[in-house]
């Protein structure tokens, strides 16, 4: 295991988080795209509430344009993909050019989608690019710790989003188990009480989703 700077460990972690954030929110947005436009304000307001982001949009049409493509909206899919890309650029030496290329392709497809009146094909290509990115992380990155830190970020973000979206208990158990098995094998400093508390929370028949979100947000507090 090579010695990493604290800065690069943080970048790897957030590369995992932002790539997952783009994947899950874009997938959710695509699933609700038509219904949100039909429902008008009520449709996208519920979407914002579920993700706990501010509803800054003036209309359904404004939401359709700004949420996926807004350069000035810090919660937009574009902004999160750009953060993933910026981290990947800084990590080129650690993750390799081929791994970086899939994040670059996702940015290209999102820019292309912004010019389309029917962007669902480009959205699917972005999802495919991120899946390919995760696959190439496994296949091309030789350093196990580098792979593990990216995957920990991915799992942390997924649990955070699943908690906000009230995803089913079986899926929550699976993601918590994956995180617990991964985080103990990487060099990140983390709050070692959090994995056990998460396991306890998802073991209950009735999930306390707000508490799950609070716990996962404490994962790096040491």
């Amino acid at each position: 295991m090579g010695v990493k700077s604290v800065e690069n460990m943080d970048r790897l972690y957030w590369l995992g988080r932002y790539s997952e954030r783009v994947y899950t929110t874009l997938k959710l947005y695509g699933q609700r795209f038509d219904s949100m436009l039909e429902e008008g304000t009520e449709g996208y307001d519920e979407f914002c509430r579920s993700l706990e982001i501010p509803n800054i949009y003036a209309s359904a049409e404004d939401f359709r344009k700004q949420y996926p493509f807004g350069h000035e909206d810090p919660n937009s899919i574009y902004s999160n993909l750009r953060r993933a890309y910026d981290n990947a650029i800084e990590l080129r030496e650690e993750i390799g050019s081929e791994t970086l290329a899939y994040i670059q392709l996702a940015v290209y497809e999102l820019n292309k989608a912004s010019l389309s009146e029917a962007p669902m094909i480009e959205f699917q290509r972005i999802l495919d690019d991120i899946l390919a990115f995760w696959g190439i992380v496994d296949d091309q990155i030789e350093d196990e710790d580098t792979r593990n830190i990216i995957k920990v970020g991915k799992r942390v973000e997924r649990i955070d989003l699943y908690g906000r979206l009230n995803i089913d208990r079986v899926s929550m158990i699976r993601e918590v188990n994956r995180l617990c098995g991964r985080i103990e094998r990487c060099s990140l400093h983390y709050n070692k009480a959090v994995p056990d508390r998460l396991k306890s929370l998802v073991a209950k028949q009735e999930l306390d989703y707000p508490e799950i979100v609070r716990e996962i947000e404490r994962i790096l507090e040491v």
Side-chain angles (χ1 to χ4, degrees):
M1 182 188 299
V3 177
K4 295 180 180 63
S5 68
V6 172
E7 187 176 24
N8 273 4
M9 289 171 64
D10 186 66
R11 285 176 177 145
L12 289 165
Y13 173 77
W14 282 102
L15 174 58
R17 288 202 65 162
Y18 286 130
S19 59
E20 171 62 29
R21 191 175 302 177
V22 170
Y23 181 82
T24 295
T25 56
L26 182 57
K27 191 173 181 180
L28 181 65
Y29 176 84
Q31 290 168 348
R32 299 187 182 181
F33 180 81
D34 290 332
S35 64
M36 283 189 295
L37 291 183
E38 291 171 2
E39 293 166 5
T41 302
E42 185 176 338
Y44 69 82
D45 188 55
E46 172 57 31
F47 183 92
C48 293
R49 280 200 304 272
S50 69
L51 292 176
E52 298 186 19
I53 62 174
N55 182 355
I56 60 172
Y57 311 102
S59 65
E61 182 63 19
D62 186 49
F63 175 81
R64 187 188 76 81
K65 292 179 179 178
Q66 294 304 320
Y67 179 71
F69 309 122
H71 289 207
E72 304 302 322
D73 179 358
N75 294 299
S76 71
I77 291 168
Y78 172 86
S79 293
N80 286 312
L81 181 56
R82 188 71 203 189
R83 292 181 190 113
Y85 174 75
D86 290 345
N87 279 296
I89 285 287
E90 294 294 331
L91 293 163
R92 183 193 294 268
E93 294 300 316
E94 294 207 37
I95 67 174
S97 296
E98 191 172 357
T99 310
L100 167 63
Y102 283 101
I103 299 294
Q104 291 174 316
L105 282 171
V107 173
Y108 169 78
E109 291 295 345
L110 189 59
N111 287 332
K112 185 177 175 183
S114 70
L115 303 176
S116 173
E117 289 300 315
M120 300 307 293
I121 293 175
E122 288 82 5
F123 286 167
Q124 184 57 54
R125 287 173 180 157
I126 295 165
L127 296 177
D128 291 343
D129 289 336
I130 294 175
L131 288 172
F133 163 74
W134 289 334
I136 212 75
V137 165
D138 271 332
D139 191 60
Q140 295 293 325
I141 297 178
E142 294 186 7
D143 183 65
E144 182 181 9
D145 192 46
T146 297
R147 295 196 306 272
N148 283 338
I149 294 172
I150 294 172
K151 289 180 178 181
V152 164
K154 173 184 174 181
R155 296 301 169 197
V156 167
E157 185 66 26
R158 185 168 291 185
I159 292 167
D160 186 284
L161 289 170
Y162 279 15
R164 296 175 193 278
L165 297 168
N166 292 1
I167 297 298
D168 66 274
R169 179 170 173 265
V170 171
S171 297
M172 292 296 294
I173 291 172
R174 181 181 65 243
E175 296 306 324
V176 166
N177 287 338
R178 286 174 171 175
L179 172 65
C180 292
R182 184 74 57 180
I183 198 167
E184 63 186 20
R185 305 206 307 268
C186 78
S187 60
L188 280 173
H189 297 289
Y190 67 97
N191 185 335
K192 292 185 167 49
V194 168
D196 287 338
R197 288 201 290 260
L198 286 170
K199 285 182 178 180
S200 177
L201 286 167
V202 299
K204 298 176 181 179
Q205 288 300 316
E206 295 294 327
L207 297 187
D208 185 342
Y209 289 105
E211 185 59 25
I212 290 170
V213 172
R214 283 191 289 271
E215 278 302 322
I216 198 64
E217 289 179 345
R218 299 184 187 117
I219 191 74
L220 296 190
E221 293 178 1
V222 293

